[in-house]
Amino acid sequence: MNMIISYYSVTNGGKTTLTNKLIKTLPNCCVVHQDDFLKKPDQIEVGDDGYKQWDVITALDMEAMTNTVKGWMENPVKFARSHGIPLAPLSEVTDPENQTHILIVEGFLLYNFAPARCFSKSYYITIPYEECKRRRSERNVN
């Protein structure tokens, strides 16, 4: 059985913290971070306000992200091995053919691109405005 779990939230909304806890707990668990598909800085549009527009769908290579998810769907064992993800030992699995594999897809604009919506379960993480504002103000942007 294979399962794709997705969750999205604002930038600094706790997605990576949740992901890090889940991958320590769940066996055969791989992760796709939408942030890993941000385009290079020179490819990011500048808005009317003079700032680069990082929080828009055009700042992301969504086709590459979709292909990555499809790669996991085609062969989660091969995907895990190629990404250095340890798999549960077969001795712990009663039926290797029915071994569960999980893919976590996390990001801030997951549902703005129709081909990426192939998830078994989806969650929206909310945080209070003041907490989001505090986290963003403490963010170290290089």
Side-chain angles (χ1 to χ4, degrees):
M1 177 172 129
N2 297 329
M3 176 182 277
I4 301 176
I5 300 170
S6 69
Y7 41 88
Y8 66 108
S9 177
V10 296
T11 303
N12 294 94
K15 298 177 297 292
T16 301
T17 300
L18 175 60
T19 298
N20 290 339
K21 290 181 181 190
L22 287 173
I23 60 176
K24 289 179 183 175
T25 306
L26 300 172
N28 303 328
C29 184
C30 295
V31 179
V32 171
H33 300 277
Q34 189 174 40
D35 286 348
D36 291 343
F37 297 90
L38 282 165
K39 293 178 180 175
K40 295 178 182 175
D42 64 339
Q43 297 175 306
I44 304 300
E45 298 172 18
V46 176
D48 294 338
D49 58 5
Y51 291 98
K52 290 191 182 251
Q53 303 298 300
W54 291 100
D55 290 339
V56 297
I57 198 73
T58 57
L60 296 154
D61 186 345
M62 292 301 293
E63 184 177 345
M65 183 178 151
T66 300
N67 289 336
T68 300
V69 172
K70 286 179 182 177
W72 180 89
M73 292 170 71
E74 290 169 6
N75 191 333
V77 172
K78 181 179 176 182
F79 185 96
R81 288 184 179 142
S82 70
H83 288 82
I85 308 298
L87 298 172
L90 289 179
S91 61
E92 295 176 12
V93 180
T94 56
D95 183 3
E97 294 296 317
N98 290 320
Q99 189 174 25
T100 299
H101 294 273
I102 300 168
L103 177 66
I104 295 173
V105 182
E106 60 97 337
F108 61 100
L109 289 173
L110 289 181
Y111 303 104
N112 294 46
F113 189 70
R117 295 184 215 147
C118 57
F119 312 121
S120 308
K121 297 285 183 182
S122 298
Y123 302 92
Y124 178 66
I125 301 170
T126 61
I127 64 170
Y129 174 79
E130 289 302 320
E131 177 65 12
C132 181
K133 185 176 174 182
R134 182 190 66 76
R135 289 179 184 185
R136 285 187 180 195
S137 69
E138 294 175 355
R139 181 168 59 177
N140 182 9
V141 179
N142 293 326

